[in-house]
Amino acid sequence: METFPKKTLNFDNTEIAFRNKSNSELNAGYWLFKVISSNFLTKVGPPITNFFLNIGLPIKSIIKATIFKHFCGGETIAECEHTIQQLTTGHVGTILDYSVEGEEQESVFDFTCEEIIRTIERAAGDKRIPITVFKVTGIGRFGLLEKLDAKQELTAAEQAEFEKVKARCEKICRRAFDKNVPIMVDAEETWIQNTIDELAMDMMRLFNKESIIVYNTYQMYRHDKLADLKADHLIAKASGFILGVKMVRGAYMEKERKRAEEMGYLSPIQPNKEASDRDYNESLNYCMAHINEIAIVCGTHNEESCRLLAELLDQHQIGHNHPHVYFAQLLGMSDNLSFNLSDAGYNVAKYVPYGPIKAVMPYLFRRAQENTSIAGATSRELGLIIKEKQRRKL
């Protein structure tokens, strides 16, 4: 039996974590997380910033030089080149993520579809960009997906509208297939997710027969997703395609609980964090036990889940760089996980959001709020930066 060299993972190694950061970039990160750590600023920042942007005050340059620079690659694919190259120096791949949200017009959906295809074209043949991604709400109207999920009858116009959404989805995934560039379908709110799941499974049936091209996303903070993952695996096995699994904990917890309470239905969210962690880690175990039939992108900023997956690869005698296993984190967060994993030979990629500053602001606000709401996230980032500053004697 082949054995694999084992390198002890040390997620506290800041020299490796920040190797690609200059002293000025490290200091900028320090001040940014100091500001984010203020709950007050994180709460009042979004409305004030939106107000300034809407009345035309010239604050875009300030945003671009600070929070945008830290969490985003640029406003265009071309502007992301610096970030792509910087990540590559640490053997970390780039996931180009066109992060424009909340649009409703068909013309915008068509443009977004073509922009996602441009990310696929850019990734083709470039090992530095191993995976791409899109959101179904980027190419279709939220209200339409909501109506479909609720099993309401569509008008003729709405049915025609949905045919366009499906056509865009297939066009994106077909281009990914033709260019041999894997693409992930992001998860969204539960009240539109069934429709997204059906679209993703249809795309996997079409394009995952011989290799992994399409991934669907499973949010393990939902109490039903471990069962869904296992059921989807059985469908994939019976139908003869590889199941693509991007596994995350989840991104809409407050919104989900609030809606469930207001509308009087059982919350889809796990009762506590321990239950989410349990299902997430159980899913890792399940995927590793079926590695030839399931490809996984482990999207997490949780150190224990990263360590567990690394250990499972060794236990199952699976190569650290097996093409069916990727770790993924967001740009600007958890560099201690990303770069220490890549240093130990694992496949790692960072989500690199890009797009016009004003359009990407909802994404940036979520990142800032996420860092203050997740227990210890900001203090963890700050602590690691301070440790590296001390090591460099800054």
Side-chain angles (χ1 to χ4, degrees):
M1 184 180 288
E2 189 179 357
T3 58
F4 300 93
K6 190 167 184 181
K7 184 168 182 178
T8 303
L9 278 170
N10 176 13
F11 292 131
D12 293 320
N13 187 326
T14 60
E15 183 178 2
I16 290 173
F18 300 112
R19 190 183 280 163
N20 68 335
K21 290 275 193 290
S22 66
N23 290 348
S24 61
E25 286 171 329
L26 197 67
N27 281 324
Y30 170 77
W31 288 110
L32 179 65
F33 279 106
K34 286 282 278 186
V35 170
I36 288 174
S37 66
S38 164
N39 280 309
F40 172 73
L41 283 174
T42 306
K43 283 189 173 73
V44 302
I48 291 171
T49 306
N50 281 330
F51 175 71
F52 285 164
L53 284 169
N54 288 333
I55 65 171
L57 277 181
I59 64 164
K60 282 173 87 171
S61 58
I62 297 169
I63 294 167
K64 190 165 186 176
T66 53
I67 188 170
F68 186 88
K69 184 180 179 182
H70 189 86
F71 291 113
C72 299
E75 293 194 77
T76 64
I77 293 173
E79 280 188 18
C80 294
E81 183 59 35
H82 171 74
T83 301
I84 294 167
Q85 191 51 43
Q86 196 175 40
L87 291 174
T88 302
T89 60
H91 307 290
V92 170
T94 289
I95 302 165
L96 288 172
D97 179 16
Y98 183 57
S99 293
V100 173
E101 301 180 5
E103 302 294 344
E104 291 284 294
Q105 299 83 26
E106 287 290 299
S107 59
V108 177
F109 296 145
D110 285 334
F111 178 86
T112 299
C113 175
E114 294 305 318
E115 183 66 18
I116 293 158
I117 286 169
R118 282 189 279 274
T119 67
I120 294 166
E121 301 280 359
R122 176 63 190 80
D126 190 341
K127 291 180 180 177
R128 301 177 305 165
I129 311 172
I131 313 171
T132 53
V133 66
F134 76 101
K135 265 191 165 80
V136 173
T137 51
I139 59 168
R141 189 167 54 84
F142 192 102
L144 176 68
L145 301 176
E146 191 173 13
K147 197 167 180 180
L148 282 156
D149 250 54
K151 306 293 185 192
Q152 293 174 9
E153 191 173 346
L154 300 185
T155 65
E158 286 170 334
Q159 188 58 51
E161 185 185 357
F162 185 51
E163 291 304 318
K164 286 184 184 176
V165 177
K166 290 193 287 186
R168 291 184 193 111
C169 190
E170 183 169 340
K171 185 178 182 181
I172 289 165
C173 294
R174 187 168 295 281
R175 188 64 59 91
F177 175 79
D178 290 343
K179 295 292 182 180
N180 195 29
V181 174
I183 189 155
M184 301 179 291
V185 181
D186 267 347
E188 305 194 47
E189 290 87 345
T190 52
W191 55 98
I192 61 170
Q193 189 60 45
N194 285 343
T195 303
I196 294 169
D197 288 343
E198 286 170 15
L199 282 169
M201 287 293 276
D202 286 345
M203 295 303 101
M204 283 193 260
R205 281 189 186 91
L206 281 173
F207 302 116
N208 283 13
K209 287 192 170 76
E210 293 175 11
S211 62
I212 180 63
I213 295 294
V214 181
Y215 293 82
N216 194 18
T217 302
Y218 295 78
Q219 299 189 105
M220 289 300 160
Y221 73 168
R222 285 180 54 173
H223 53 67
D224 56 347
K225 276 296 155 182
L226 176 58
D228 280 358
L229 168 64
K230 292 178 177 179
D232 288 350
H233 170 232
L234 293 178
I235 292 168
K237 193 173 180 180
S239 304
F241 65 87
I242 300 164
L243 184 69
V245 174
K246 177 193 160 197
M247 195 188 304
V248 299
R249 276 171 171 78
Y252 306 96
M253 184 166 68
E254 308 301 334
K255 190 192 287 190
E256 291 282 2
R257 283 183 171 153
K258 186 178 179 204
R259 186 178 190 268
E261 189 176 343
E262 286 173 352
M263 298 182 70
Y265 61 84
L266 178 69
S267 171
I269 305 302
Q270 301 269 21
N272 50 48
K273 184 179 182 300
E274 289 73 27
S276 296
D277 291 343
R278 179 199 66 224
D279 279 11
Y280 193 97
N281 293 340
E282 175 55 33
S283 297
L284 293 178
N285 273 288
Y286 187 84
C287 291
M288 288 306 97
H290 302 93
I291 190 63
N292 293 324
E293 298 160 359
I294 300 175
I296 179 175
V297 174
C298 174
T300 185
H301 292 242
N302 183 287
E303 185 176 313
E304 292 313 309
S305 291
C306 288
R307 198 178 297 282
L308 172 63
L309 181 52
E311 289 169 356
L312 286 170
L313 284 165
D314 286 334
Q315 285 173 24
H316 288 276
Q317 295 290 294
I318 300 166
H320 289 185
N321 62 346
H322 193 290
H324 279 196
V325 183
Y326 259 87
F327 293 83
Q329 286 83 38
L330 298 166
L331 182 69
M333 294 169 64
S334 302
D335 285 348
N336 64 310
L337 302 182
S338 306
F339 290 101
N340 281 298
L341 282 163
S342 67
D343 187 68
Y346 299 95
N347 294 324
V348 186
K350 286 272 203 187
Y351 260 66
V352 175
Y354 76 94
I357 288 175
K358 191 172 180 181
V360 175
M361 289 312 294
Y363 170 85
L364 291 173
F365 292 148
R366 277 209 311 279
R367 291 291 76 81
Q369 287 161 351
E370 184 178 277
N371 271 284
T372 55
S373 64
I374 297 172
T378 302
S379 59
R380 173 75 167 154
E381 296 285 349
L382 258 179
L384 289 162
I385 292 171
I386 290 167
K387 183 180 174 184
E388 179 59 11
K389 277 164 61 76
Q390 290 170 343
R391 193 193 69 80
R392 295 188 191 184
K393 299 182 170 56
L394 294 180

